[in-house]
Amino acid sequence: TALALAAFGGGSMLAAFALPKLLDQVADRPVMLAGTVILIASLVASAFMHSFSALLPLWLVLGIGYSIAQTPSGRLLRRSAHAEDRPALFAAHFALSHAAWLITYPLAGWLGAKIGLSGAAIALALLAGTGLLAALLYWPSTDGEIEHSHDDLA
């Protein structure tokens, strides 16, 4: 477990170091959606993984996808609110993201115990796919076309 978490963290750090330069060239939306696709594909791949030697590279890729999908969220929040509303918006984001973890972490464990780890991975990929579909439907494709600099990072 410790090695898998280290691989995840390493992948997350690699992506986080690459993101500032990437986000200077590409809008947040396609970058974050691509990160979500990487997460979903990694979850599906994990359903078919049956060796420890495949675990660490897969968790490295999961970390990359997670960081790409999540790291730019502060930029979105900052652009989405007036300065006086940002503390409340960031607090709401924090609370909602942790509420989602409060639900999905036990769900992953329960599904793993009930239907096996492969089934749990597919179920979580479907859940993430639902989130991706919602983002595609409700997040305007024109959002993020505003020129922004590293000063926009929250």
Side-chain angles (χ1 to χ4, degrees):
T1 302
L3 292 175
L5 291 174
F8 183 95
S12 181
M13 288 172 41
L14 288 173
F17 288 135
L19 277 170
K21 189 171 190 168
L22 177 63
L23 291 170
D24 279 344
Q25 300 168 13
V26 182
D28 296 350
R29 184 179 189 270
V31 170
M32 293 175 77
L33 294 175
T36 305
V37 169
I38 292 169
L39 279 171
I40 294 167
S42 298
L43 283 169
V44 170
S46 73
F48 303 101
M49 180 192 67
H50 300 292
S51 72
F52 183 75
S53 62
L55 177 76
L56 298 182
L58 180 64
W59 274 65
L60 181 100
V61 173
L62 278 165
I64 290 170
Y66 179 82
S67 188
I68 291 171
Q70 294 297 313
T71 301
S73 64
R75 295 161 50 106
L76 296 179
L77 294 173
R78 185 172 179 151
R79 279 199 314 264
S80 297
H82 298 288
E84 63 272 7
D85 297 329
R86 287 185 191 138
L89 185 61
F90 276 93
H93 175 261
F94 181 86
L96 288 172
S97 66
H98 285 71
W101 293 340
L102 181 65
I103 294 166
T104 54
Y105 283 2
L107 178 64
W110 181 79
L111 287 171
K114 292 292 183 188
I115 63 175
L117 296 179
S118 294
I122 295 297
L124 293 171
L126 289 170
L127 184 60
T130 302
L132 175 62
L133 181 60
L136 290 168
L137 291 173
Y138 298 111
W139 186 0
S141 61
T142 56
D143 186 54
E145 292 181 0
I146 303 166
E147 289 293 321
H148 42 280
S149 69
H150 296 296
D151 294 335
D152 289 339
L153 293 174

